[in-house]
Amino acid sequence: MEKEKLQRLTEELITYTAKANDVYRDVREEGKEKDFYTEVKPFADQVREACDEWEAGMKGWMKETEFKHLFPEQIEQTAHNLSDVAVQAFFPKTSYKRFKSHVQSVEFILHNVKAEIARILS
């Protein structure tokens, strides 16, 4: 997979993370769940597809290039956590602490990946 595509996918995942965070905030304020088939599933499917593509591309790249402070396990966990967050965001009963912890973890790794890609491509 081309490196510029991984850069775009990383940005896309950062955007999805922010959107999930916004959805969660709104859902908690309203106190009611969103419709599963019209809102939750389409968003979760979009995020899962992007995560799968990003994870596969990153792990392939990591086999050929040495990344500082990043490991394949972190890529896997980030993709998994973001996929979970994309679903959990729509339910007000989701644990606030757990949700925020996952969001922070995902953001941290994605921003590290973004910085590493910029470093490697420059």
Side-chain angles (χ1 to χ4, degrees), residues 18-49:
K19 182 175 180 183
N21 203 25
D22 292 346
V23 166
Y24 183 65
R25 184 193 62 236
D26 295 345
V27 164
R28 279 187 66 94
E29 285 174 9
E30 293 170 15
K32 68 177 203 188
E33 297 178 2
K34 299 289 184 184
D35 183 72
F36 183 78
Y37 292 103
T38 61
E39 294 180 80
V40 181
K41 188 169 177 4
F43 180 70
D45 288 347
Q46 259 184 323
V47 172
R48 179 78 247 162
E49 191 176 311

Side-chain angles (χ1 to χ4, degrees), residues 34-86:
K34 299 289 184 184
D35 183 72
F36 183 78
Y37 292 103
T38 61
E39 294 180 80
V40 181
K41 188 169 177 4
F43 180 70
D45 288 347
Q46 259 184 323
V47 172
R48 179 78 247 162
E49 191 176 311
C51 283
D52 288 347
E53 189 176 357
W54 177 80
E55 180 183 353
M58 283 301 298
K59 286 166 89 178
W61 192 9
M62 291 176 106
K63 285 179 182 166
E64 13 173 290
T65 306
E66 189 174 325
F67 280 72
K68 292 182 181 179
H69 318 296
L70 282 172
F71 303 95
E73 298 79 19
Q74 291 172 300
I75 300 302
E76 279 177 34
Q77 195 60 49
T78 299
H80 178 77
N81 284 345
L82 181 50
S83 292
D84 285 352
V85 160

Side-chain angles (χ1 to χ4, degrees), residues 98-116:
R98 186 168 180 267
F99 182 84
K100 289 298 185 180
S101 171
H102 277 108
V103 167
Q104 288 173 343
S105 168
V106 166
E107 287 175 336
F108 179 78
I109 296 298
L110 289 175
H111 286 288
N112 277 349
V113 167
K114 182 179 168 181
E116 276 294 287

